[in-house]
Amino acid sequence: MAVILITGGARSGKSKRAETRVRAFPGQPVYVATAEALDAEMEARIAGHRARRGTDWIEREVPLDLVPALVASDGGGPRLVDCLTLWLSNLMHAGRDWEREVTELANALPRLKSPVVLVTNEVGLGIVPDNALARSYRDAAGIMNQVIAAVSDEVEFVVAGLPMKLK
Amino acid sequence: MAVILITGGARSGKSKRAETRVRAFPGQPVYVATAEALDAEMEARIAGHRARRGTDWIEREVPLDLVPALVASDGGGPRLVDCLTLWLSNLMHAGRDWEREVTELANALPRLKSPVVLVTNEVGLGIVPDNALARSYRDAAGIMNQVIAAVSDEVEFVVAGLPMKLK
Amino acid sequence: MAVILITGGARSGKSKRAETRVRAFPGQPVYVATAEALDAEMEARIAGHRARRGTDWIEREVPLDLVPALVASDGGGPRLVDCLTLWLSNLMHAGRDWEREVTELANALPRLKSPVVLVTNEVGLGIVPDNALARSYRDAAGIMNQVIAAVSDEVEFVVAGLPMKLK
C-alpha cells in the first residue's frame, strides 16, 4: 500500500510528476479523472493529458463518487486521481457535504491495497478573493489538502516541474 | 530568546503549526490576535482557532499596537502573533506608516526575552491583482515577510499542514 | 557556463537573490531588463531595483528579443534577466508565438558561455482567475517555468527572501 499526494500550482508539472510516480508501480495503471469535458477549454486540457500518458491506461471518469471508484478498482494496478481540487469543486457544486466526503476519503485511503497517487492544487497563496464563494472554496481546498496529506505516506510540492519532498 | 516566523497560504495549517511551536516553550502561552471580530465570517474563524487552542491561553486583541503589546507581555510565557498580514492590513486601513511600524517590529523582536512565534501569509503567488490597492497590499506583505524573516531565528513555510524549513 | 533560475512570488526577494548569485561570478555584470517604464508604478519599481544594484552594471532594455540579446552579450560578464514572466507578457501582448520563443530560449541557454541568472514568477498558486486571458497567461507562465527549469543547472524557489534549492 502507498498513498502519495502531489500538490502544487497550476501548470507546475504536478500531473506529469504523478504519472511518473504511478509508472514506478507494477500493474496496468488506472487514470481516475475527476474532470468532465464540459467546455472546449477543459476538453483540450484533458486531450493533452491523455496524449502524454499514452494509451495503456484504464480510464475512469469519476466527478463525484471517488471512494467507491477507488474501492472498486482496488487489488489491480496503481491509480492516479487527477485531481482532488476539481473533485472538491464538483462536490460543492452538487450540494454535497464535502467535509464528510473528504473525511471518508481520508478514512478509506490507508485501507486500500493498490497504490494511489493523488494530484491536488495549492490555491491559497494569492490575494484573498473578493467573492465569498471563492473564499469558501479556497478554505475548503486548504482543509482538504491538510486532511489528505495527514494520511498520505508521501507528500510532494511541485514547483516548475521539480518536486520538493514535504513528507 | 527565540523568534520563529511561520508562513504559508490560506488554510495551510500555519496557525496549528505555530501553536505546536509555542507549546514547546515553558510558561503560560499568550495569544496575540490581530483580528477583530468585525463580521460573522471572521467571528467563526476566531471561534474555531480558540476551540482548537484550548482555554489555558492568555488572550490579547491587538489590531494595531503590536510592539507595545509584545514589550508589555515580555518576561512571561511564549507569545503567538496571529497574524502579521492582518496586522499589516489593519495598519494600512488606519492610515498608519506601515513601513515604519514593520521596521520597529523588526528592531524590537531580537531584544525580547520571551519567545515569539509569528504567523504570516504568502499572498504573492497568484496572478497580479487588477486593482492598485490589492497590488500595494501584496507588495507590502512581501516586503514585510522579507524584513521579519531576516531577523527571525527560524522560518518555516507550511504547505498542506507540513512545514518546510527555510531558515 | 551556468544557467540559474530563481523563482518565487511577488516581492519575495527574487531579484535581490538573483543579484547575489550574479555577483558571485567574475566580470562586469549585465542587467537585462524585460520591463519598459510605461507607467509611474513600473518606473518606481525599476528605479528601486537600480538603486539597490549599484551603478557598475551594464544595462540593457530587452522587452522582446531576449535570445539575440543574450547571444550578443555572451563572452563577457554574467547576465541577470529580470524577469521572464514580464518577457512572456510582452510576447503575448505583441502577438508573438510565445511557445516557439520559449523553446528557442531553452535551446539557446545551454550553449551560452557566460553565466545567466534568470528571474521568474510563480503565478499559479492562487484561485483560478475569472477571465480567460489571465488563465491563458497563468498557464503559459507555468509551462515556461517548467521548460526553462528543465534546462537550468540550478533552480531556487525564494520565499520571504530565503532560497529553497529545487535543483
Side-chain angles (χ1 to χ4, degrees):
Chain A
M1 198 277 307
V3 177
I4 301 170
L5 181 67
I6 311 288
T7 192
R11 293 291 186 167
S12 62
K14 303 179 305 292
S15 295
K16 198 177 166 192
R17 174 65 184 167
E19 286 164 30
T20 303
R21 298 299 312 260
V22 166
R23 289 276 187 200
F25 293 106
Q28 188 182 11
V30 182
Y31 185 78
V32 181
T34 58
E36 293 175 292
L38 297 174
D39 60 28
E41 194 177 333
M42 192 57 86
E43 229 170 76
R45 185 167 283 213
I46 291 172
H49 279 200
R50 185 178 288 135
R52 186 181 58 208
R53 273 199 310 276
T55 54
D56 59 329
W57 293 66
I58 299 165
E59 293 190 18
R60 294 280 175 271
E61 274 201 21
V62 186
L64 292 167
D65 297 310
L66 190 51
V67 172
L70 289 173
V71 170
S73 64
D74 204 32
R79 280 79 52 93
L80 197 174
V81 177
D82 196 357
C83 64
L84 286 181
T85 26
L86 198 52
W87 173 63
L88 176 70
S89 173
N90 293 341
L91 290 174
M92 291 174 93
H93 279 108
R96 302 260 284 250
D97 182 348
W98 68 265
E99 292 198 83
R100 208 194 56 184
E101 306 243 7
V102 165
T103 305
E104 284 175 8
L105 177 60
N107 291 337
L109 284 171
R111 297 195 202 118
L112 297 171
K113 286 187 289 282
S114 305
V116 185
V117 180
L118 306 116
V119 174
T120 192
N121 279 265
E122 293 304 313
V123 299
L125 293 140
I127 280 289
V128 180
D130 283 332
N131 79 79
L133 195 68
R135 281 201 301 279
S136 300
Y137 174 69
R138 188 170 93 130
D139 283 354
I143 292 166
M144 176 185 70
N145 287 351
Q146 287 187 53
V147 170
I148 303 303
V151 300
S152 296
D153 301 296
E154 290 183 51
V155 181
E156 291 182 347
F157 178 45
V158 181
V159 175
L162 302 166
M164 274 183 280
K165 198 172 177 59
L166 290 176
K167 182 180 179 177
Chain B
M1 197 278 305
V3 177
I4 300 170
L5 181 67
I6 311 287
T7 191
R11 294 291 186 164
S12 62
K14 303 179 304 292
S15 294
K16 199 177 166 190
R17 174 66 185 167
E19 285 163 30
T20 304
R21 297 300 312 260
V22 165
R23 289 277 187 200
F25 293 105
Q28 188 181 9
V30 182
Y31 184 78
V32 181
T34 59
E36 293 175 293
L38 298 174
D39 60 29
E41 193 176 333
M42 192 57 85
E43 231 170 74
R45 186 167 284 212
I46 290 171
H49 279 202
R50 185 178 290 134
R52 186 181 56 207
R53 273 200 311 275
T55 54
D56 59 328
W57 293 66
I58 299 164
E59 292 191 19
R60 295 280 176 269
E61 274 200 21
V62 186
L64 292 167
D65 297 309
L66 190 51
V67 173
L70 289 174
V71 169
S73 65
D74 204 33
R79 279 79 52 92
L80 197 173
V81 178
D82 196 356
C83 65
L84 286 182
T85 26
L86 198 52
W87 173 64
L88 177 70
S89 173
N90 293 340
L91 289 175
M92 291 174 94
H93 279 108
R96 301 260 284 250
D97 182 347
W98 68 266
E99 292 199 82
R100 209 196 53 185
E101 307 243 5
V102 165
T103 304
E104 283 174 10
L105 177 61
N107 291 337
L109 285 170
R111 297 194 201 120
L112 296 170
K113 286 187 288 283
S114 305
V116 186
V117 179
L118 307 116
V119 174
T120 192
N121 278 266
E122 294 303 314
V123 299
L125 292 141
I127 279 288
V128 180
D130 283 333
N131 78 79
L133 196 68
R135 281 201 301 280
S136 299
Y137 173 70
R138 188 171 92 131
D139 283 355
I143 291 165
M144 176 185 70
N145 288 350
Q146 287 186 53
V147 169
I148 303 304
V151 299
S152 296
D153 300 297
E154 289 184 52
V155 182
E156 292 183 346
F157 177 45
V158 180
V159 175
L162 303 166
M164 274 183 278
K165 198 171 177 58
L166 289 176
K167 183 181 179 178
Chain C
M1 199 278 304
V3 176
I4 301 170
L5 181 67
I6 310 288
T7 192
R11 293 290 185 166
S12 62
K14 304 178 306 290
S15 294
K16 198 176 165 192
R17 174 66 184 167
E19 286 164 30
T20 304
R21 298 299 313 258
V22 165
R23 289 278 186 198
F25 293 106
Q28 188 182 10
V30 182
Y31 185 77
V32 180
T34 58
E36 293 175 290
L38 297 174
D39 59 29
E41 193 176 334
M42 192 57 87
E43 229 170 75
R45 184 166 285 212
I46 291 173
H49 279 201
R50 184 178 289 135
R52 186 180 58 207
R53 273 200 311 276
T55 54
D56 59 327
W57 293 65
I58 299 165
E59 292 191 18
R60 294 279 176 271
E61 274 201 21
V62 186
L64 293 167
D65 297 308
L66 189 51
V67 173
L70 290 173
V71 169
S73 63
D74 204 33
R79 278 80 52 93
L80 196 173
V81 178
D82 196 356
C83 65
L84 286 182
T85 25
L86 198 52
W87 173 63
L88 177 69
S89 173
N90 293 340
L91 289 175
M92 291 174 94
H93 278 108
R96 302 260 285 249
D97 182 348
W98 67 267
E99 292 198 83
R100 208 196 53 185
E101 306 243 7
V102 165
T103 304
E104 283 174 9
L105 176 60
N107 290 337
L109 285 170
R111 297 194 202 119
L112 296 170
K113 285 186 289 282
S114 306
V116 185
V117 180
L118 306 116
V119 174
T120 192
N121 280 265
E122 293 304 313
V123 299
L125 292 140
I127 280 288
V128 179
D130 283 332
N131 79 80
L133 195 67
R135 282 201 300 281
S136 299
Y137 174 70
R138 188 170 94 131
D139 283 355
I143 292 166
M144 176 185 70
N145 288 351
Q146 288 187 53
V147 169
I148 303 304
V151 299
S152 296
D153 300 296
E154 290 184 52
V155 182
E156 291 182 346
F157 178 44
V158 180
V159 175
L162 303 166
M164 274 183 279
K165 198 172 176 59
L166 290 177
K167 184 180 179 179

